[in-house]
Amino acid sequence: MKMIAIIAMFMDHFATTFYPNYEKYWWLLLIHLIGRVAAPIMWFMVVEGYTHTHSLKKYLERLLIFSIIAHFAYNFCFGISLIPLKDSLLNQTSIIWPLFLSVIGLWVEYQEWKDAKKIGCILILCLLAFPSDWSCFPILCTNHIYKNQGNLKKQVLGMAMSLS
């Protein structure tokens, strides 16, 4: 699954980077659409990683380090200023940042806190993820996938509903 996500993401970034007006050509639009499957696969993989990790701290450290590295690569590739929020509020960093925040969101869900505290924490994570690629969807969708583990139909339906 990781390889499918990597190939799909590469195809999407290739079409966007080298052909900025990809909408004009059907085959580039198709490549871009194929690339859209990368994010849901990543969300699923984050849930699996969270579920099966032996060290949550090390998992979070790796995601944070990779999100910092990916920030510079993403911004360079798409011509975005390295200074956060300088040019725009949206798409300021890669999807790895909200994936990192998603793991924290999964940890929050596991805590035996009152629902109001959990909801507040998730809202804060969504606000922190808002300026990134895919905004707060990774946090909400990974949470949905986690809550519906073992029920692929519910997982896919929930993601499709939240993305439409």
Side-chain angles (χ1 to χ4, degrees):
M1 286 189 75
K2 284 182 193 178
M3 287 309 296
I4 293 170
I6 289 168
I7 291 167
M9 184 171 37
F10 173 79
M11 291 172 66
D12 183 39
H13 289 184
F14 176 83
T16 306
T17 304
F18 294 107
Y19 299 96
N21 296 322
Y22 60 83
E23 300 91 0
K24 293 181 180 179
Y25 304 101
W26 71 268
W27 60 277
L28 286 170
L29 186 58
L30 179 64
I31 289 172
H32 180 69
L33 290 173
I34 290 169
R36 299 289 89 187
V37 303
I41 292 171
M42 287 181 189
W43 302 337
F44 178 79
M45 296 305 290
V46 162
V47 171
E48 290 297 305
Y50 173 79
T51 303
H52 298 292
T53 189
H54 294 292
S55 173
L56 181 60
K57 182 181 174 188
K58 287 182 182 179
Y59 188 49
L60 284 167
E61 284 173 357
R62 286 190 305 272
L63 280 171
L64 180 60
I65 290 167
F66 190 56
S67 75
I68 292 167
I69 294 167
H71 170 75
F72 293 102
Y74 180 86
N75 288 22
F76 177 75
C77 181
F78 294 113
I80 301 167
S81 172
L82 295 176
I83 302 166
L85 309 176
K86 181 181 176 190
D87 300 325
S88 171
L89 181 62
L90 300 173
N91 292 330
Q92 294 296 294
T93 193
S94 76
I95 193 172
I96 308 301
W97 172 247
L99 292 177
F100 164 75
L101 296 173
S102 296
V103 174
I104 296 172
L106 294 174
W107 176 81
V108 165
E109 192 60 42
Y110 185 70
Q111 301 307 303
E112 293 183 15
W113 296 340
K114 292 182 179 179
D115 285 344
K117 186 175 180 179
K118 287 182 183 183
I119 291 169
C121 287
I122 297 295
L123 285 175
I124 290 168
L125 293 171
C126 285
L127 286 173
L128 289 170
F130 188 77
S132 62
D133 191 21
W134 283 92
S135 189
C136 60
F137 287 110
I139 294 165
L140 300 174
C141 289
T142 55
N143 200 295
H144 176 77
I145 292 167
Y146 182 72
K147 287 180 178 179
N148 293 290
Q149 279 183 317
N151 189 338
L152 185 61
K153 187 175 182 178
K154 259 188 172 176
Q155 289 174 334
V156 171
L157 253 169
M159 281 191 298
M161 287 174 51
S162 66
L163 295 175
S164 40

